[in-house]
Amino acid sequence: MYFSIQPKLLTGAGRLSWDLDEVPFPVALLNEEGSILACNQRVRRAAGLDPGKAPGGFLWDWFWVPLRPGESEQLRGAVLTARSNRQVVRCALGNCTLIPMTGANGGRSVLAAGLIKPDFCNVLVDGSHPQDDFQQLERVASHNLLEPLRGIHTSAQLLGRMLEGALDASGRALLADLRRNVERMGALLDGLSEYAAADDSRFELLDVNECVAEAAERLVPPLPPTGALSDSPLPIVTGQRAGLITVFEHLLRNANQNRFPNRALSVVITARRAGGWWLFQVTDNGIGIDPLYHETVFEIFARLSPHENGRLGLGLAICRRIVSGWAGRIWLDGVPGQGVTVTFSIRAGSDSIGSVHDNGF
């Protein structure tokens, strides 16, 4: 079915009477072929377009996240599906939701909106405002669960002191397992809190070289003292300082943890402009990841093996949450034995600075 678009949003064939720039996510109104009739400044900035330039290109040419080879056709197919089947289509690319619309005069169009949850369709269709309690739930749950966990930890410590000398080897092993599991649960809850707060910081002008250096200083265990991290020039961008440092910290930690024991670690960080985006790549020479798991590893609590002691399975999930909060993307390439390259994007604002050559995407 086609949704009836709000009168305040559309009057006539593709003429907007409502300011799309009030919408807090990328949004574009398309004709039935996918050409943009109108869009907000979030779309223009993401695509690196002149704010005053009239729309007219196709959505896949002006999309709000950088598209990889073959993804333009995927997005075009999604638009055609929404139009032809008269149904809402949710596309993984840029968290895009495509909503078939009909105007007051019967004209048909498609509304494309990014970085929205499914219920946000109601904001555009009938003006309702859904509640997003996910982040609050994570924080409250992690805080409330930590309190009884501390009690278990204290009881385990007291039990160990009371029974010191009375436990045999099996009893001591069980008590040690209890302590380890409590510590692991605490680490998981701390990670969950970090995940919940991953997109909470203000945007500012950042020297990416300084962010990488601070991320490397946080690592425990640290990177090898010499030669591990390349000294490539990186740009100045507009972004969230805490978030960017956290992304680099997790990527460097993964490289350090997944290195070959008999091979000197090498991590190369590069940046290049691609339209309205900076693309950063973090490449290591570690054990690599089977392409089968390139997407799985970004899921929360994902671990490739249950025997990965000390690994929480949260690092890449936190990275994706942070980068998604910038309206960017993050993905992974690599094969076993040949290392991994993680690529993520940051919007290149008007005040972004850098001498790195624009190689396109």
Side-chain angles (χ1 to χ4, degrees), residues 125-174:
V125 175
D126 60 20
S128 63
H129 296 273
Q131 296 294 322
D132 180 14
D133 295 329
F134 175 64
Q135 190 178 72
Q136 182 181 0
L137 175 63
E138 287 175 311
R139 289 174 175 168
V140 171
S142 60
H143 174 76
N144 290 348
L145 288 173
L146 276 172
E147 186 175 349
L149 193 65
R150 293 189 190 101
I152 296 172
H153 185 262
T154 300
S155 298
Q157 287 183 319
L158 292 174
L159 189 62
R161 292 170 187 167
M162 290 171 58
L163 299 178
E164 186 175 3
L167 293 174
D168 58 12
S170 298
R172 290 193 297 272
L174 286 172

